[in-house]
Amino acid sequence: MAGKELNCIYGICNLIDTPGIFMEEILQETVQLLPSAFRYPSMACARILLEGHPYETADYQESKWRLEADIKVKDSVSGIIEVNYRQEPPEDGDAPFLQEEVKMLDIAANYLGLVIERKRAEEEIAHLATHDALTDLPTLLLARDRLGMAISLARRNKTAVAVMFLDLDGFKAINESLGHEAGDYILIRTGQRLLACVRESDTVARVGGDEFLIIASGIHDLGNAEKIVERVHALISQPILFKRNRTIVGGASIGISLYPDDGAEMEALIKRAEEAMHTAKKSGRKPFRIADSSVSA
């Protein structure tokens, strides 16, 4: 393989090994490297098409003088890498592309397939570390991180953040009478219903066996939080059909704390919301309770 083809491969390898680089950057930079590795670099343009998303050189255009290679991830084709000449190369009796160029593109496609597979595995591991395996909701670890960001944003914008701690009523009895399959189904459906009650910018997390946390950022007052809680309670109280022949009716006790009224630190807000939830559960008169900010956390 000639020097410029090798240089291109080395350049792609360096991109792949760059710490902290995003997959999109690797693909775009690879596209920029390719034209210079061909016989007529001034006429060459390149594109990577990965799962419908294109990464192209600025002067990209298709032509009949085209060389391409499949990008395979776990033996399945996920995309293509291609080089085109924007006009016909000079007639010199040779094939449009040299064998070295064909080989280089195959090697580049193989490298990209391997790095895509590696990046996806890293993303999956990171996701599993911060998301509940059953409901796929964020765990308490990720919820704390998002609450910290929500508090910082609220401090700058002079808005409020509501923290809602939710515990399902009668969940233990459901688990014991109908089994863990029914219990798991209730938890999954509860997570789905909670997501339907909040905005895309809010966070719903599973923080315990049958405990959930809702973080609503960018609200203006307690009234906004109470409206969210009312929607949550109304939807959680709807019957759940399990296996077509059994209807499960449940409910939830919810505690609410508000930044900055009930504290400036995320741990204090979570604790006060949880305490308010326990108060609501004990009283049995009202499905939700507002934190008592006069009690120190």
Side-chain angles (χ1 to χ4, degrees):
M1 191 178 291
K4 60 182 181 179
E5 287 89 2
L6 285 172
N7 285 337
C8 182
I9 294 299
Y10 291 149
I12 294 171
C13 290
N14 287 335
L15 284 172
I16 290 170
D17 292 333
T18 300
I21 193 168
F22 292 105
M23 195 66 234
E24 290 77 8
E25 294 175 277
I26 293 174
L27 295 170
Q28 192 60 54
E29 291 297 323
T30 296
V31 161
Q32 300 302 127
L33 282 171
L34 289 172
S36 61
F38 283 76
R39 271 192 298 173
Y40 308 107
S42 62
M43 293 186 290
C45 59
R47 175 173 74 167
I48 293 174
L49 192 64
L50 184 65
E51 296 178 340
H53 189 88
Y55 302 86
E56 303 173 343
T57 52
D59 54 1
Y60 175 82
Q61 68 180 57
E62 291 186 4
S63 77
K64 68 176 183 178
W65 298 102
R66 170 176 163 171
L67 179 64
E68 67 178 45
D70 290 336
I71 299 173
K72 293 185 177 181
V73 179
K74 292 184 178 180
D75 297 324
S76 296
V77 177
S78 291
I80 59 170
I81 178 171
E82 63 181 52
V83 174
N84 289 267
Y85 283 126
R86 294 189 306 277
Q87 61 191 67
E88 293 187 17
E91 293 290 343
D92 54 10
D94 293 332
F97 295 101
L98 301 174
Q99 285 303 309
E100 290 88 346
E101 294 168 341
V102 174
K103 186 176 180 181
M104 182 202 71
L105 209 63
D106 286 338
I107 292 172
N110 184 57
Y111 280 161
L112 291 177
L114 291 174
V115 73
I116 290 167
E117 186 174 337
R118 188 184 76 193
K119 290 282 187 181
R120 287 178 179 173
E122 290 171 355
E123 289 170 359
E124 184 176 352
I125 291 169
H127 184 85
L128 290 172
T130 56
H131 287 75
D132 175 57
L134 178 65
T135 63
D136 201 38
L137 293 174
T139 59
L140 181 58
L141 178 68
L142 182 54
R144 281 195 180 107
D145 184 57
R146 291 187 180 175
L147 178 54
M149 291 189 290
I151 290 171
S152 297
L153 188 62
R155 189 177 294 122
R156 286 198 303 270
N157 296 338
K158 294 183 170 34
T159 55
V161 180
V163 178
M164 306 165 204
F165 203 104
L166 181 149
D167 182 87
L168 297 181
D169 295 332
F171 181 75
K172 183 179 178 182
I174 293 171
N175 243 349
E176 290 175 349
S177 61
L178 300 179
H180 290 292
E181 184 183 1
D184 287 349
Y185 185 72
I186 295 296
L187 293 172
I188 292 168
R189 291 291 291 124
T190 297
Q192 293 168 343
R193 288 180 172 187
L194 292 178
L195 288 172
C197 292
V198 301
R199 301 162 300 177
E200 194 172 331
S201 58
D202 298 332
T203 294
V204 175
R206 184 186 176 200
V207 297
D210 61 337
E211 295 174 336
F212 296 83
L213 196 69
I214 299 173
I215 301 166
S217 58
I219 65 173
H220 297 287
D221 52 36
L222 186 59
N224 293 152
E226 288 180 328
K227 288 178 181 177
I228 296 172
V229 170
E230 287 166 0
R231 288 201 304 270
V232 167
H233 184 262
L235 196 52
I236 292 297
S237 300
Q238 294 296 313
I240 293 176
L241 183 64
F242 177 62
K243 287 191 171 180
R244 297 186 181 179
N245 59 357
R246 184 176 290 274
T247 300
I248 303 171
V249 180
S253 300
I254 308 168
I256 312 168
S257 66
L258 200 69
Y259 168 87
D261 297 358
D262 298 311
E265 302 298 326
M266 58 182 178
E267 292 300 336
L269 291 167
I270 294 172
K271 181 180 178 183
R272 283 189 167 138
E274 184 177 8
E275 290 170 347
M277 177 274 294
H278 286 300
T279 302
K281 189 174 284 289
K282 287 176 184 177
S283 72
R285 294 190 304 272
K286 192 176 181 182
F288 65 89
R289 183 64 66 98
I290 300 161
D292 184 355
S293 57
S294 65
V295 180
S296 60

